[in-house]
Amino acid sequence: MSKRIWHHPEVPAGETTVSWRSAGQLEDTPAFREWLDREFPQGAAEMADESEAETSRRSFLKLMGASTALAGFGMAACRRPESYIVPYTKAPEWVIPGKATYYASAMPRATGATPLVVTTFEGRPTKLAPNTLHPDAAGTDAFAQASVLDLYSPSRSRRILKAGKPAKRAELDAAIAAIAADKAAKVGFLFGADDSPTRNRLRKEIAAIFPAAKFYQYEALTPDSMDGVRMVADFTKADRILALDCDFAGIDPQGPVTAFFDCRKPEGKGYDQTPDAAKMNRLYAVEAAYSLTGGMADHRLRVAPSQVAAVAAQLARELGVSGIPSDGAITDSKQLEWISAMAADLKSHAGKSAVLAGSRQSAAVRQLAQAINLALGNIGEDKPLFAVLTEATGLGTLASLKADIDAGAIDTLFLFTPSNPVYDAPADLGFPAALAKVKTSIHHGERTDATAHACTWHIPAAHYLESWSDARSARGTYTVVQPMILPLYQDCIAETELLLALLSADGKLLAGEGEKGAPSPAYGAVRKTFATLGGEGDAAWKKLLRDGFLPGSQYASATPAAGPVSPDTVPAAPAIDSLEVIFATDASVYDGRWIDNAWLQEAPDPISKLTWDNAALIAPKTAKELGIYDEIIAIENPRALGSPDGEGENRKSPIIEVAVNGRTLEIPVLVSFGQAENTIIIPLGYGQAFDKDDELERKPANQSHVGLVGVNRGFNAYPLRDTATAYFATGATVKSTGKRYSVALVQEHSAMYGRALAREISTIDSQDDKGGFEKQLANVKKQGNDSHAPTNISLYKPMGSARWNPGPDGKAQPLINDPLHQWAMTIDLSSCMGCNACLVACQAENNIPVVGKEQVAKGREMHWIRMDRYFAVQKDNTFDADNPALVPQPVACVQCEFAPCETVCPVNATVHTEDGLNAMAYNRCIGTRYCANNCPYKARRFNFFDYNKRNPLIKHNLYRGPLGEKTVGEANHLQKNPNVTVRMRGVMEKCTYCVQRLKDSVIRQKRGQKQEALVAGKPSTEMEVTEKTLRIPVDSVKVACQEACPADAITFGNLKDEEKSAMFRAKSGERNYDLLNYIGTRPRTSYLARVKNPNPDMPDAKFIGKATIHMV
Amino acid sequence: MASTTTTAPETHTGVKLPVLEREKLILNERSYHWITERICGVVENKQPLLWWLLFIPSALIAAIGVGGGLFHLVSTGVGVWGNTNRVMWGWPIVNFVFWIGIGHAGTLISAILFLTRQNWRTSINRAAEAMTIFAVMCAGIFPAFHVGRVWFAWFLAPVPNANAVWQNFKSPLLWDVFAVSTYFTVSLIFWFLGMVPDLATIRDRCKPGLRKVIYGILALGWRGGNRQWSHYEMAYLLLAALSTPLVLSVHSVVSFDFATSVVPGWHTTIFPPYFVAGAIFGGFAMVLTIMIPARFVYGLQDLITMKHIDNMAKIILLTGTIVGYAYLMELFVAFYSGAIYEMDAFKFRIAGPYWWAYAAMMSLNVISPQFFWFKACRENLWVVMAIAMCVNVGMWFERFVIIVTTLARMWLPGDWKTFSPSAQDQMLFVGTIGMFLALFMLFLRFLPCINIAEVKWTKPEADPHFDDKEHHPDHGVKAEPAYQKELV
Amino acid sequence: MSTTRKRVYGYLAEFKSASALYKAAEKIRDAGFRKWDCYSPYPIHGLDGAMGLKRSILPWFVFFGGMTGCATAFALAYSTQVVIYPTIVQAKPANIFTVPAFFPVMFELTILFSGFTVLFGLLALIQLPRLNHPLFASKQFHRATDDGFFIAIEARDPKFSPNQTKELLAEIGGANIELVEEED
Amino acid sequence: MANIFPRWSNLLPLKIAVCAGSAAAGVALAFAYYATPKAQVVGYQPSQPIPFSHKIHVDQLGLDCRYCHSFVDVAGHSNVPTGNTCWNCHQHVQRESPKLAPLHKSMDPAFPGYDGKPIEWVRIHKSPDYVYFNHSAHVNRGISCQSCHGDVHKMEVVWQDQPHSMGWCLECHRAPEKHLRPLEEVYNFNYGDADVTKYSRDQSVKTTQDLGLKLKEQFQVKPKESCATCHH
């Protein structure tokens, strides 16, 4: 039970490096120690004397102190252990001990950098938030939120490797100098797919100096650059959107997505208008299995990925695009009807619609989409889509690199790509063999992955929060990447620094701090790049550093070529003996690069709810036909039985053998609702390394590639994949193996069981008794059990005692009585897609531990937000009964005013605050767990073990108790938020609306009173202090989940602000309802029902938006 | 029940009513001394081999299961049990309610049957009270160590402290703390006070030595003077009067843990009487389970007669039927509530993932005692023993159904997940069974297992007017006359 | 030891049955003795009347003990929940209307305090523990906890006279009449 | 049969009961006194590496608290001065004092034992890890340093003056008027009843507490008692 405890990371035996690096002018480790000290007074003292450094032991003594005190003997004689305050010798600028400092930065990514604001405490970045000033800000996704953990990851690469063995920095310096000296070197550079102006500039300079240099770009699951032309969507202008296998809201972004979600709210973005269906956009999705985008769709068509081309072609035909061959046309009359009605809708919104093709779909589909968009006039400066010209031109692909290596054109290869080509390149390319032919291959990365080991050199990369760089956001706005801290480990080097070393006269590699405290050379390089865009001078530069971006620096627009519309022959639709395998991008590990990120691994897959592994997803009917299950698995089991594979820790999925492209893979299978029949989804990126603890006793391999998080995780599907079948492969067969594998799902039951939990309405009148939009709106509060449950009558009033605790007026006052602030929240299911960004953001903000697969399987995950995901099927759905609606519902503590948890706590550890929070006093909690039983929302999480202290990722480690291995000394303790208690075992925890942020903002507001007094020049006793002085400005405090949400689905604020607060407006709307209103808990978090905006002409229109409306 | 008609007083209608002879509580006209010899013999003689065969394994199981189990638990964390964020109370609380239920028969037999002048209780109340004490000790282990930070369990005690924080007196758990500890304390007082005259008997039979000193101290110097008996009997009556509401309150308070919650399937007003009936039901079953073998081993057939067993069987039948009624009433109330959450809670109990637990509960608790309608079943000790065992198991399943099944399928289906007990769960439960048996064995070995004084008092000649034939025409038949009800 | 003068405690006589004891007791009562007692292995009904004993005062002790418990519980709960540190718990009132929630604890403490009063009240009334007593020195007295019925008349009684009392005891059916002396 | 217990044993239980009772009462009393923060931490006065005297600096020289504890009114944490802060003056004043050797070691490159390492002051006031105390929230609302730290300006060597237990915190949160001052007087250690007239023309306001009561209303000071105020 301690916060603000800092542990020195363990220095591996034989390592002589200085482990901790500071920012600013600090010179050595002791200086850094003093720097940390203000935040971690105890830790510093411990550092001072390593023999007493074991904080955990001391915390234990502290805990035991109380019980020892009970004995009552000799306490007076005990001296308390002396601790020290170690101030800075020289105070660094801007650092106020105990206060967060915020910096603008960005996370470089293939689809455009994510602009960020980074929270730092005494130089440690702890939390990322979107930079909302940025024109391309669209919240953050789970990957961005979790990326801060990579910085502190214990498995992060921290040593230079030469041929897989640790090497000295001097050796590397010599090697780099040698390359730099040889101007005729046949040197190749393999970059990632992100776009960095400085990199582009240096690339050109290198090309000038090294005439034989060649440049390539590769990321495993990002399509190769189309000569720098990229289509970007502007969702503010798109009224009708068709996603052709394109998860633009999830892992396949096509442009800033927040605007799309704003148009899902019938009341408008700020909830300030009367609900109007016409203000909403309409989304059509054509896809094989549910994606986050598909879950948002108003109309969704299930087809195998190979058939998407046929759908697109049919649409093109309907819209009169010329040159569409007629072979492979769709014959299913329902589908034809569906496409035809959609085509009419798109046509009537020509110029205001967008057809988005998945970036991993075939070129044919993308060309068709482009042709359709051109035909509809959707492309252009003020149109929903516009083409931009990136600077990533003239780059080769991985295939061309391979060819060049084979041709002997590359002797030295620098690999900067964040992907792992030895592991993730298409199997038929033979890239590992090609790489072995390169004389000197230099891998630069944060992980010692397969490529790192296959190269002659591996250089640990500095994290983007540790290095100077720049990037382009989705629409090309110049965005600076500024470091928060020097690289934690001395050998870590930034990409720019390496490139600069090659460019320097003597090939000298300068990294981290330059000589004598000068800034890193990368700083100069970025400044130089910026000078060409934003001008010279300090003012512009400082403004850039403050804002994080340069306004008006978007990409130049391009004119998209009306490319050839010649779809390849559409393959035959998959059948039971010829299945289609989709190699999917994973929502947790992406292409495999985040295999070692514990937050992402533990975040459940948004659709399958699987954690820590991947599994093949198959439609229930297909599963039965394949003989995997004896019957068709239904969404709702009338007896609420679990899966035939068991439930919780006993759940073991059958392992199937998938054979495709002449290769086989054994992988466990999960049934996936709403998936097209005869398709198999296999997420990529897993199965990178195994050790002796593997459940299936797979041969130990690659153990040095990953850390404890990434080892024994899932199944590697990359070997099945060829260049031609990079996205999907046809002709697969499946057979059972009789083996089973345990799967850790956080949600086992996907149906609402007749309970109107995640409510849904439709904008159209479906000619049932539910009426049109208005009537459905009016009845949102009356769905399900609430339609007939009588109102709650309370016999007593929540009042205090007039006799003992009177208010200022001498009368009894209400208990929840803060006149300034009453916190509340709404979650808009109409925009929530269930993407986990909030879940991971909450984990980062609130020091939530990771518990490991075994514990998740038991049902002990600690996430304060549980992302429930329900499938709801309309019983009489005659269009497609196997296409249930997907409704996500994030559930955290809803801060009930009449909180059932409070009354049952015997020790008053959870009580209400005056401002309406259900507070949790961790240090008072003894862990009876009664509160969690009595919580209808099951929003409480219990620390069954010392998850923070004992490493949960080592097999059985938690069960070894005091003998278990500790995480003490691991760097991820540095990520902890110092304002949130780190909970020990035996303590209950839960969401408290980021109370640390609320308290901080309220205190800051109160401080304003002093400022006002100073400004007014009057004595403070003549100051007028009003509610206005003390109440924080409207909607000025954001909680972590709200801040992270890319969909703006969460509003939070002060009920006392009334109409001024978006939260209040949302709450007063008709869509607002309380979850489990029947119990009468009066939750402060309420939900807004999801509105579906179907096209009345569509054949499935009357089955849309009906997830809960018929429930009574 | 043999009955003979003798002369009886006239009623106001002038009809002479037949007086039924009560069955004798002590067979074979045993003398006072025989009673003393027989009961003290259990303590004084060498223990039979069976005693050792039972005691040594139970003590070992208790040491490993309870000692080792708790050490692992406290040093490592509650996670060693099977509890999860979904099923926060799993086996430990099932076992707690199970044991506390068993701990009801003892005080109930002593107190309520004493107040209602059921003299047949005298042969069994001592052992039943001992059982209460030991069962409550076993029960107490679970909630005490169930808390996540057992070293802070003293937060439950209203001790003034520098933090100026107090307990929440609205919490049923706090009520539970008070109820269970009061119950244990008062039961202990009741048990001990009841034992003082018998300890004096043992003391007086001991040869001088350490044994005599120990029993001498425990007997407090009891002399058996009527000036002591007079106060003593008043004290016993008062304790019985206090214990009667107490025994009813304890399981009511335990049931409040459930009934005052909002959990569907728990939040029901029927719980207190249902739990109390269940506790008596299970408690008597456990008394039978233990006393039938003990009766044979120590040759106490003349003191614990078939009448005792018959009476207990009838109580099991009655309370079992009440419990069955409660089960059915729960279903009806859920159906009648019209709330899907309530209805589903019971639907999933019956047919859901733990249907087998519900089936076990119903058949063992409701159906099996119905055999006691038949006299032949009540008189066949094998049948009685079998049914008692069924009820023991069935009552454990009842608590399992109430706690685990309900928590695994609560309000939000997205949260549903079943529970599996861990090895440590099972180890600790078996350990408490061992502890219970070991303590009971020690009790048999060292303390008078039958209330010697009270048993003597039930003999007909214990009545001071036994010899006054004129005044009491029915003398020699029974200690207290019982008149058959007038038939109108 | 042998030179010590022993103090006479009184006479101890055995009776053959409970009935005999009962009748003997009535006679001794009528003879006006005060310091005497009947000893039996079990409580004999009606013997109180035969001995002229009053009803035990213990219930009054217990009544006040119980009231104290109840008041303690109420004071503890009310002062901590309403007066000193009212907390907001499920919006339940922090005033007099919250008192029903205290009933279980009030009840339990009533019983607990009563239970203790019974125990300690009883011990006080019967003056136990007292491990040493002259009667224990008697050779036959150990049967009082087995199957013997005894009457002991103390020498302290004003009506006691060494001979007459012995005669009286013999007359009313006492056997094995023994002069019990205090050991010292 | 003979008595196995001697006669003196008759009084033994009573004696044991009395002794045990008084022993228990004694332990309870001792515990109630010694095991509280009041007895445990008040008066804790460790010796510091440099015998810094608040009495000289504050009382005699008149330094403001915020000269050294410069972030007390902006941050939750009240900082201890950096080496630089001391050095500002002490490179000129009392430079040669042997007591300042640790400062020279830390700040003066010309000093023989110079190592640039910070001075390790011994921590006196320490709230537990799970307590969030914000200095700025208090000093900006009229609670003086003096209320929690005592008469620091008179201390040659600082000791802990107040127990800093939760009960002690609550006392003030329940009755802040005892400690509330005009914002101008927060850092004034000599504030007393005499100063009250400066701030109030109201004749009925005579003592600091009277003024505190008035300020409580005027500043709308409503200190919270719920857990999340300090524990999160």
Side-chain angles (χ1 to χ4, degrees), chain B residues 316-329:
Chain B
I316 286 178
L317 174 60
L318 171 70
T319 47
T321 312
I322 295 175
V323 165
Y325 169 78
Y327 293 164
L328 297 178
M329 191 44 75

Side-chain angles (χ1 to χ4, degrees), chain C residues 12-160:
Chain C
L12 181 68
E14 190 189 350
F15 292 82
K16 69 176 179 15
S17 70
S19 319
L21 189 71
Y22 184 89
K23 286 177 194 118
E26 284 176 329
K27 288 181 185 130
I28 295 174
R29 175 195 68 194
D30 297 341
F33 283 92
R34 289 272 179 272
K35 306 272 181 201
W36 64 287
D37 203 352
C38 302
Y39 298 89
S40 58
Y42 58 85
I44 297 170
H45 275 193
L47 199 54
D48 292 357
M51 282 179 70
L53 297 183
K54 283 195 212 122
R55 191 180 147 86
S56 172
I57 196 174
L58 193 57
W60 286 104
F61 289 16
V62 176
F63 175 75
F64 289 108
M67 286 296 111
T68 312
C70 187
T72 307
F74 179 80
L76 181 68
Y78 195 80
S79 63
T80 58
Q81 310 295 294
V82 177
V83 181
I84 301 176
Y85 198 168
T87 48
I88 315 172
V89 166
Q90 200 179 1
K92 290 189 175 172
N95 53 30
I96 194 74
F97 294 106
T98 192
V99 167
F102 308 154
F103 288 174
V105 174
M106 284 158 67
F107 172 78
E108 299 298 342
L109 283 197
T110 309
I111 300 287
L112 185 66
F113 278 53
S114 306
F116 279 119
T117 322
V118 169
L119 176 65
F120 294 112
L122 172 69
L123 292 181
L125 287 172
I126 63 178
Q127 289 166 14
L128 291 185
R130 176 179 178 177
L131 301 181
N132 175 293
H133 196 275
L135 281 174
F136 289 144
S138 159
K139 295 263 181 315
Q140 53 181 337
F141 187 67
H142 68 90
R143 285 187 46 233
T145 55
D146 180 6
D147 58 357
F149 299 89
F150 296 93
I151 287 179
I153 300 176
E154 289 183 41
R156 288 186 295 153
D157 193 288
K159 293 220 164 174
F160 183 86

Side-chain angles (χ1 to χ4, degrees), chain B residues 368-382:
Chain B
S368 79
Q370 301 306 319
F371 287 100
F372 282 151
W373 284 112
F374 306 104
K375 193 171 182 198
C377 291
R378 295 200 300 272
E379 285 182 342
N380 183 331
L381 288 180
W382 290 106

Side-chain angles (χ1 to χ4, degrees), chain D residues 79-114:
Chain D
N79 59 315
V80 164
T82 60
N84 248 346
T85 312
C86 308
W87 194 236
N88 266 349
C89 297
H90 282 288
Q91 56 183 317
H92 310 295
V93 184
Q94 294 277 326
R95 189 182 166 116
E96 304 312 322
S97 166
K99 291 176 183 169
L100 288 177
L103 181 65
H104 285 278
K105 203 165 166 249
S106 163
M107 295 300 301
D108 182 3
F111 189 74
Y114 171 75

Side-chain angles (χ1 to χ4, degrees), chain A residues 639-640 647 650 745-746 755 788 858-861 904 906 925-927 929-930 933-934 938 942 959 985, chain B residues 72 74 79 81 83-86 89 146 148-149 168 171 257 261-262 338 344 351 409-411 417-418 420:
Chain A
R639 292 171 59 194
E647 195 170 316
N650 300 323
L745 290 147
V746 299
R755 307 167 182 201
H788 56 82
K858 279 181 191 286
R860 292 178 179 169
E861 70 275 6
V904 299
C925 176
I926 60 170
R929 308 198 279 297
Y930 196 176
N933 276 347
N934 211 21
K938 286 277 177 127
F942 187 68
Y959 292 85
R985 79 169 152 98
Chain B
H72 188 209
V74 174
W81 282 341
N83 306 37
T84 71
N85 279 333
R86 275 59 181 242
W89 287 357
H146 180 265
R149 303 197 295 168
N168 174 14
S171 167
D257 287 347
S261 75
V262 299
D344 275 0
R409 296 284 184 270
M410 260 173 73
W411 299 94
K417 212 172 220 184
T418 48
S420 315

